[in-house]
Amino acid sequence: MNRFVAFKPFVCGPPQRNAFLAIRHWMAEGIVAEGRAMEEARRELVDHLRRSGYVETDLVAAAMLAVPRELFVPPHNRPASYADHPLDIGHGQTISAPHMVAIMVEAMAPREGLRVLEVGGGSGYHAAVIAEAIGPRGQVWSVERIEPLATAARRNLEAAGYAERVTVLVGDGSCGWPEHAPYDRISVACAAPAVPDPMRAELADGGSLLIPVGGPYVQELLRVTRSGDRFDVEDLGGCVFVPLRGRCGHI
Ligand code: SAH
């Protein structure tokens, strides 16, 4: 429709410049169209997660709608950004399936202003969804042991606009990260052989820890809630995560 209007200024320029401008215009149109398709795919995915009961609250739905997953997926996997399964992010690791992120963010009962530790930062996507759900007054510290993944996560978070709210730390987070404790929530995105004691100790009173516990192939997602010196454990169901490596994890 407005193609004619868009091309009008090119008609009287030198031919190379016209060709250059035309290509730039088509590319820009392509990027906008791809962006729109991604947005549409994101909306469909969140609708599906809602219908399936993984997303239960408006808060988590809004957070997942706000975070562009395609910015956290390596280019070769980008077309699959909104498929509901884990995707390879290199170094033998994966970005968790969207339904798993939905389950975990719902289970952490996010609210404005929480202080959250994430162990297993991977691509940074899960941390961005948490950051979105706890708002600009909240703070996320996300620990990743594989340096190049941490570097990529920082870049992804920057591109998606979460660099201020998520601090990516590099190192072994298997026993937690005492420096910024106590945390209102701890979310572990890799599988531990047992709940690490130091992690419990880093929880604020009334805070909770989500952690997959079990063998290397199948685990149970546990929620440990602290009330003073008491720690209540709930089993939220079966799950499959890559192993938590390190001092308090699998060797
Ligand atoms: N939440 C991520 C996916 C996590 S995959 C996302 O949204 O993309 C699990 C990650 O845990 C992997 O990147 C792995 O390198 C990391 N990991 C394993 N053991 C760890 C440890 N001890 N400390 C920090 N990260 C660890």
Side-chain angles (χ1 to χ4, degrees):
M1 5 124 275
N2 60 1
R3 200 165 284 267
F4 174 71
V5 178
F7 278 97
K8 217 167 138 193
F10 306 161
V11 175
C12 46
Q16 293 96 328
R17 182 171 157 75
N18 288 348
F20 168 74
L21 289 175
I23 288 167
R24 201 177 65 176
H25 174 80
W26 283 324
M27 281 173 70
E29 268 198 341
I31 289 165
V32 171
E34 190 186 297
R36 252 190 258 115
M38 288 288 179
E39 226 177 281
E40 186 56 35
R42 193 180 319 137
R43 205 165 310 125
E44 276 170 20
L45 173 70
V46 175
D47 282 350
H48 155 76
L49 295 175
R50 262 211 124 126
R51 280 195 306 275
S52 319
Y54 297 120
V55 167
E56 296 169 9
T57 60
D58 290 345
L59 181 64
V60 174
M64 294 194 75
L65 278 173
V67 181
R69 192 168 187 255
E70 68 272 20
L71 296 184
F72 296 85
V73 167
H76 67 278
N77 264 329
R78 211 149 278 167
S81 295
Y82 293 99
D84 189 15
H85 53 68
L87 294 171
D88 167 48
I89 53 170
H91 303 271
Q93 309 301 324
T94 53
I95 172 172
S96 310
H99 74 267
M100 204 61 232
V101 174
I103 289 172
M104 290 186 76
V105 181
E106 287 286 6
M108 77 169 6
R111 56 186 159 69
E112 183 77 32
L114 292 182
R115 295 163 51 83
V116 180
L117 174 70
E118 184 197 38
V119 177
S123 67
Y125 173 71
H126 192 157
V129 175
I130 295 172
E132 185 62 43
I134 61 174
R137 290 195 304 115
Q139 185 63 43
V140 182
W141 290 271
S142 177
V143 190
E144 172 51 56
R145 63 183 270 276
I146 300 175
E147 168 110 50
L149 288 182
T151 303
R154 277 195 200 108
R155 210 178 38 234
N156 300 341
L157 286 158
E158 170 96 49
Y162 294 97
E164 304 260 294
R165 304 198 217 165
V166 181
T167 307
V168 177
L169 305 160
V170 187
D172 177 8
S174 65
C175 308
W177 200 271
E179 193 183 342
H180 305 287
Y183 304 102
D184 301 308
R185 303 286 186 271
I186 301 179
S187 179
V188 183
C190 31
V195 179
D197 282 334
M199 248 185 224
R200 291 178 209 252
E202 291 174 14
L203 275 180
D205 195 8
S208 63
L209 155 66
L210 282 170
I211 184 164
V213 171
Y217 303 111
V218 193
Q219 308 93 32
E220 299 291 315
L221 181 64
L222 302 185
R223 179 168 54 198
V224 182
T225 306
R226 177 173 199 170
S227 321
D229 291 334
R230 217 183 70 206
F231 294 89
D232 294 317
V233 182
E234 297 160 88
D235 187 338
L236 305 183
C239 53
V240 180
F241 280 85
V242 297
L244 174 74
R245 301 270 172 217
R247 210 153 52 84
C248 300
H250 296 277
I251 311 300

